[in-house]
Amino acid sequence: MPRSVLRLLAATCHPGPTVVVTGLATALAAGCGLPRRRVLLVGATVLSGQLTIGWGNDLVDAGRDRVAGRVDKPLASDPAAARVVRRALGVATGACLLLSGRCGGAAGVVHVVLVVGSGWAYNAGLKRSTASILPYAVAFGGLPHVPHLTGGGPRQGPAPLWQTVAGALLGCSAHLLNVLPDLDDDAATGVRGYPHRWSPASLRAQAVAGLAGAQLAVLAGARPPARSARIAVGLGAALASGVLGGRGKAPFWCAAGMAVCDVALWAVAGRGCAGGTPPSWAPPPSTAPAAAPSPAGRGEIA
């Protein structure tokens, strides 16, 4: 494939959010104790779904981006490139459906309907309504259930409630911060979603509140060691200051950093799945028989 095509596809798939979401899902799958092949399957499944959302978004918004003069959007400056992206979207959609099915019935339905379906619903028109935040809450709240429900793990079942709550809050915050740099362009083209009804300062404050709530949910649910919790809270406070004062995409990346901290807390606590089952490739506990009692007496010193 020519490098120009690869650059086009990379630029139009929303690489930042795609990498972050795929990485979080893969880390969750590893924390759930899935075998390596299943971890890679979950990562590939989520990646394919995120590619469909990113490419679909740029295709739907191509005309609006052209009106707004978005030079950073290849489809706005080169309408002929849409044909290439459309083909890639078709391939990614087929891969998403196939891989989702390989994860198992329940996991596949959650991924296609809740995670990817929410992204498609956002692209299709919810982004222009007050309910624009809802797809993010549903998609990120459903994301932890994909690895939990994927077959092959030591404990297969729905994700704990605290992971759903944390994911939903992270998703809402990501929406607020992802839109923040585009408020003027959106206003010029008639987009009036949930974030567009608030001032930038209010959006930052709401995002920090959501990120803090997500971290509290993780601390309460995962119950990590005290030292790890203190480190995470300190990093969270530093990143929150970046959310409040950063420019451009910096607030979004600070929020992504807080999400990484939360997933790291789950891993440190060993509670990726209910019961704290370690990854399947972790060294098994020793099964050596206990030493026989000393002949000098049962537990007595000779």
Side-chain angles (χ1 to χ4, degrees), residues 54-74:
W55 285 329
N57 183 277
D58 269 23
L59 285 168
V60 170
D61 285 351
R64 187 178 66 84
D65 291 336
R66 198 172 301 119
V67 171
R70 293 289 299 271
V71 295
D72 59 320
K73 296 288 188 177

Side-chain angles (χ1 to χ4, degrees), residues 5 7 39-40 65 71-72 103 107 122 155 164 171-172 180 184-185 190-191 205 207 219 225 237 241 244 266 294 301:
V5 174
R7 284 196 294 268
V39 172
L40 294 176
D65 291 336
V71 295
D72 59 320
C103 288
Y122 178 83
R155 293 190 181 222
T164 304
C172 291
L180 194 59
D184 291 339
D185 289 341
V191 174
L219 292 172
S241 66
L244 291 172
W266 303 347
S294 169
I301 300 176

Side-chain angles (χ1 to χ4, degrees), residues 13-29 42-43 46-47 50-51 115 136 140 143 167 170-171 173-175 178 211 249-263 266:
C13 75
H14 293 222
T18 294
V19 169
V20 170
V21 174
T22 301
L24 292 177
T26 304
L28 285 172
V42 170
V46 173
L47 173 60
Q50 292 304 302
L51 289 175
V115 180
Y136 279 81
F140 279 76
L143 185 64
L170 286 172
S173 299
H175 175 47
N178 200 34
L211 294 169
K249 287 292 184 181
F252 173 82
W253 286 111
C254 287
M258 292 187 73
V260 171
C261 287
D262 291 342
V263 174
W266 303 347

